């Protein structure tokens, strides 16, 4: 039966690939992105997040079969995007965006659309994390995210950058997202409402986000050292999209709170057998 699924980050990379797979199987996709989407909204700020939720609810009529929070930015992988506009008078730094989009944007979308999921027969939700969440993180950023305190998270992020450890912010945002998910998934709001909530944590995926890494010799080496992928190397976006498709399919009735590494073996290489 055709379903209605909201996908953030639907204009590029993994989100675009997932939207295509879902449309091909007859689903209605409500894409959310900065541009080239059914709902154009900036998930970096409260106004854009509220508009995204309101417009998705309007389009789906208040009942939604699935939500995938895929939109994200990477401090490590890209220079600041020019398309993103701040909702405040000050333009956000890219540091801000990592925490704003990857954590607070994703959580706001999921929380905002959860009541619409709860009205569906077999609702499902998923997020896109990252293998980088297994790397060193900043505890203050992590704690503030999990407390839902965005101003404190941004202050902590600024301190991290000042200390020259800005490369901890992307892992921190993705680790916070994974921990939020594992806390929320078993609550009455999610498990109690029959909504599985899981994550895919990719290794390196060939998308516009990762493209700059392949063009810079120094970054390329750093990437390969940080994310060793002995099984079949870098993945294409479709590989991640296929896994997300299953996670939000009716077939997934009993798995929740799982961070599934689709990373060519990076996670077992880095963490070894002792992680379990
Ligand atoms: P991408 O750059 O191709 O697509 C990301 C999409 O998110 C873009 O369409 C962009 O416009 C949208 N987006 C960014 N900021 C936004 C905002 N403020 N409001 C609304 N939409 C916004 O990147 P890709 O690779 O498809 O990334 C998808 C997810 O996968 C991200 O969460 C990323 O962190 C994650 N990921 C990607 C990896 C990779 O190697 N490409 C590795 C691990 C995780």
């Amino acid at each position: 039966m055709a379903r209605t699924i909201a996908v953030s980050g639907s204009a590029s990379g993994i989100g675009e690939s997932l939207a295509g797979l879902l449309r091909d199987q007859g689903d209605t996709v409500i894409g959310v992105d900065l541009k080239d989407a059914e709902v154009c909204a900036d998930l970096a700020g409260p106004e854009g997040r509220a508009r995204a939720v309101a417009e998705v609810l309007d389009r789906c009529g208040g009942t939604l079969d699935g939500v995938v929070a895929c939109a994200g930015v990477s401090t490590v992988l890209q220079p600041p995007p020019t398309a993103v506009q701040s909702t405040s008078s000050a333009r956000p730094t890219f540091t801000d965006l990592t925490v704003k989009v990857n954590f607070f944007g994703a959580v706001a979308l999921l929380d905002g659309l959860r009541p619409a999921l709860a009205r569906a027969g077999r609702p499902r939700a998923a997020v896109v994390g990252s293998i980088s969440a297994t790397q060193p993180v900043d505890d203050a950023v992590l704690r503030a995210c999990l407390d839902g305190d965005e101003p404190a998270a941004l202050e902590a992020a600024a301190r991290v950058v000042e200390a020259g450890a800005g490369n901890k912010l992307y892992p921190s945002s993705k680790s916070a997202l994974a921990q939020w998910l594992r806390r929320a998934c078993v609550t009455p709001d999610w498990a109690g409402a029959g909504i599985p909530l899981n994550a895919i944590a990719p290794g390196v995926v060939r998308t516009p986000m990762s493209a700059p890494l392949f063009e810079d010799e120094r970054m390329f080496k750093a990437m390969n050292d940080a994310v060793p992928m002995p099984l079949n190397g870098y993945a294409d976006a479709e590989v991640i999209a296929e896994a997300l498709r299953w996670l939000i399919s009716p077939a997934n009735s009993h798995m929740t709170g799982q961070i599934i590494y689709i990373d060519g073996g990076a996670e077992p290489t880095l963490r070894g057998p002792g992680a379990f």
Side-chain angles (χ1 to χ4, degrees):
M1 203 178 78
R3 301 159 81 226
T4 300
I5 316 285
V7 178
S8 73
S10 60
S12 177
I14 296 166
E16 182 182 19
S17 179
L18 175 64
L21 289 178
L22 295 172
R23 287 188 180 112
D24 286 350
Q25 69 184 21
D27 291 334
T28 298
V29 174
I30 306 174
V32 179
D33 210 306
L34 292 168
K35 56 181 181 151
D36 302 329
E38 283 70 25
V39 173
C40 291
D42 184 351
L43 294 171
E47 289 165 30
R49 293 169 197 155
R51 200 175 65 253
V53 169
E55 289 191 21
V56 170
L57 291 176
D58 194 41
R59 282 177 175 265
C60 73
T63 303
L64 205 51
D65 298 294
V67 177
V68 179
C70 184
V73 294
S74 166
T75 342
V76 184
L77 302 180
Q78 288 181 324
T82 51
V84 176
Q85 297 299 322
S86 173
T87 50
S88 70
S89 54
R91 182 182 163 76
T93 65
F94 206 50
T95 303
D96 291 337
L97 287 175
T98 306
V99 172
K100 286 179 174 179
V101 179
N102 296 358
F103 182 79
F104 288 100
V107 169
L109 192 72
L110 286 159
D111 275 346
L113 295 176
R114 197 205 60 79
L117 288 170
R119 281 183 214 109
R122 289 176 294 180
R124 308 285 184 259
V127 309
V128 181
S130 172
I131 179 67
S132 73
T134 61
Q135 293 165 0
V137 302
D138 181 77
D139 287 339
V141 172
L142 189 72
R143 211 169 34 247
C145 285
L146 292 173
D147 286 346
D149 189 340
E150 191 165 0
L154 295 176
E155 278 172 29
R159 285 196 299 274
V160 172
V161 172
E162 273 166 32
N167 61 355
K168 281 189 177 174
L169 290 180
Y170 182 75
S172 299
S173 69
K174 292 296 189 178
S175 177
L177 186 60
Q179 293 191 40
W180 170 85
L181 179 149
R182 286 184 60 81
R183 199 168 62 181
C185 69
V186 287
T187 62
D189 277 354
W190 291 92
I195 314 169
L197 175 61
N198 294 283
I200 298 295
V204 178
V205 188
R206 287 188 178 275
T207 68
M209 180 185 278
S210 63
L213 287 176
F214 290 88
E215 291 158 11
D216 179 311
E217 201 179 321
R218 194 180 52 86
M219 294 291 277
F220 184 67
K221 183 178 179 323
M223 170 181 82
N224 288 332
D225 289 347
V227 188
M229 299 178 70
L231 176 70
N232 294 329
Y234 318 118
D236 289 329
E238 289 74 16
V239 173
I240 310 303
E242 281 289 5
L244 287 165
R245 169 160 70 164
W246 185 82
L247 279 186
I248 59 162
S249 72
N252 176 25
S253 59
H254 280 74
M255 186 172 80
T256 198
Q258 300 308 304
I259 316 298
I260 300 162
Y261 294 92
I262 300 194
D263 61 0
E267 192 272 339
T269 302
L270 294 167
R271 298 211 290 189
F276 278 88

